[in-house]
Structures are given as C-alpha cells and as structure tokens.
Amino acid sequence: MGQIRQKGTIMSGSNMSDGKGSELGSDEIVEIAELEEIQGQRDVVETDAVEHIESPKKSFMSQLEEEGDVAADYLEALLDIADLDGDIDIDVDNDRAALSITGGALTHLVGDSGEVLDAIQELTRLAVQTSLGERSRLMLDIDNFRNDRKAELTKLAQEIAEEVKDSGEQVKLKPMNAFERKVVHDTIQELGLTSESEGEEPNRCVVVLPA
C-alpha cells in the first residue's frame, strides 16, 4: 500500500502538548508513555462497556490500513507539537501496520538505545487502541533506527550461530527488547539452529542452543 505524508499542521487529538507549544524532551516523552498506557487501558475498557452493537467485520488488510491512518494522524500531530519536519510512510509488513518517520532532525526521538522510539511506538499503539477499540501491534521506525539495528543483530546472530556450531555449547546473549529478540530468533532459525528467550522484562534475553 505504501503511503507517504509530509508533516502537516494537525494540532488536535494528541496528549503530547504541554499547552504552550514548547518542545518536549526525551525523558518527558517516556514519562507520558507510561501515563498514557494506563489511561489507554481505561479508555478501551469504557469503550468495550458502551459499544455492544456489532458492526460489519472488516477485512484484515482494511483493519491494518485503518490502523496506519489513525497512527499517522497521531504522529503528524506529534511532529507539529515538537516543531519537527519529517515524512511519514505507512505500509503493512509481516501482518502488522508499519510506519516510519524520516527526513528531519529526529535523533532525539530515538534515544541512545531506542528507548524513546519504543515509548513513542507505545503511545501510538495506545492512540490507535483508544480510537478503534482494539489492541494494535503496529511497528514504528524513526530515522531508520530499526532497519539499521536489524542489520546489526542479523550479523551478530550469524556470528553467534557459528560459535555455537563450533563449540557445541549454548550461548546467552545480553538482554534485548521484543523487536531485537525476534530478529535474532528468525536469523538463528534460518541458520538451522534453535533459540529460546528466558528471563523477565527488561532483562529478557535470547539463548542460542546447539543442534
């Protein structure tokens, strides 16, 4: 499907503003993500309690396209509030709505290890969930961070796979988030080995096992 939007001037429908149009810092975005996660869960419960009338079921692809549109509106408003330029690309990848923001000074919306990006992704999922009444699994990338990280993790997984094959012993990797663990699991599987996740968030990690 692949749509691209340039930054617009939508200012409504977002809780990211401090009411003065000032730019929000990375720490503030992470804190807001935690607060909105709680509020988003409440909103969905209220929506489920009120809406009992069944609507015609949409196709799976139509649902993902609708998720993408709602998410893009939210992100466009966020860019306006932060006074940042950027193009929003909307697509579908691996049965998920996938959005990416490129084209501006966006590094501080990613964070050193992607923690701000993860917070904004969660905020966007909650915005979609609140609007549509269904939990979203959309993926967000900013400034190509996830694509670059995927390439790094794929190379790491290949190196670890060779180490496990040579030694015959399992190797435990450092803690990773869900996106990073999936990249490693997929690569290890393609190389003919098995892997598993162990531990609890935020210390959950991948263990690569010998054949």
Side-chain angles (χ1 to χ4, degrees):
M1 110 190 174
Q3 305 175 34
I4 297 179
R5 298 188 187 185
Q6 291 186 338
K7 190 196 84 168
T9 56
I10 297 176
M11 298 296 291
S12 61
S14 171
N15 292 322
M16 295 296 295
S17 174
D18 61 2
K20 299 177 182 178
S22 59
E23 182 176 327
L24 297 180
S26 300
D27 292 340
E28 292 173 292
I29 292 174
V30 174
E31 290 175 4
I32 291 171
E34 295 173 352
L35 293 174
E36 290 225 4
E37 181 175 6
I38 298 172
Q39 184 60 48
Q41 292 169 349
R42 291 174 180 168
D43 290 343
V44 170
V45 170
E46 292 173 359
T47 299
D48 291 343
V50 173
E51 294 182 358
H52 296 290
I53 301 176
E54 292 187 1
S55 57
K57 288 187 177 180
K58 302 174 183 177
S59 69
F60 182 61
M61 184 60 68
S62 294
Q63 291 177 354
L64 295 181
E65 290 174 352
E66 188 173 16
E67 279 190 34
D69 288 338
V70 172
D73 288 342
Y74 185 81
L75 292 169
E76 193 169 19
L78 185 148
L79 290 177
D80 280 335
I81 290 167
D83 194 25
L84 294 172
D85 292 321
D87 296 333
I88 302 173
D89 179 76
I90 311 170
D91 211 334
V92 173
D93 184 35
N94 290 326
D95 293 332
R96 297 187 185 196
L99 295 94
S100 62
I101 305 176
T102 57
L106 305 170
T107 304
H108 71 289
L109 295 184
V110 175
D112 293 337
S113 303
E115 68 278 2
V116 181
L117 170 57
D118 288 340
I120 295 174
Q121 176 176 275
E122 185 62 22
L123 280 172
T124 307
R125 286 178 173 178
L126 288 169
V128 172
Q129 180 177 315
T130 301
S131 177
L132 303 181
E134 296 182 1
R135 186 172 296 279
S136 172
R137 297 170 58 246
L138 70 82
M139 292 297 296
L140 173 65
D141 195 7
I142 297 178
D143 205 26
N144 291 316
F145 176 83
R146 293 201 195 280
N147 278 338
D148 294 342
R149 183 64 176 146
K150 182 176 181 180
E152 293 174 2
L153 290 169
T154 298
K155 182 179 179 181
L156 172 64
Q158 292 169 343
E159 294 172 351
I160 295 299
E162 288 300 318
E163 179 181 340
V164 170
K165 288 179 180 179
D166 291 342
S167 67
E169 298 180 357
Q170 69 179 34
V171 172
K172 183 176 181 179
L173 281 66
K174 67 180 183 179
M176 298 178 179
N177 62 33
F179 163 76
E180 294 171 328
R181 293 196 303 271
K182 186 178 187 308
V183 173
V184 174
H185 285 311
D186 290 346
T187 304
I188 293 299
Q189 185 177 22
E190 290 173 0
L191 295 173
L193 295 179
T194 58
S195 59
E196 61 186 21
S197 294
E198 68 174 36
E200 301 294 331
E201 301 288 3
N203 297 314
R204 194 162 175 78
C205 60
V206 175
V207 178
V208 181
L209 307 171

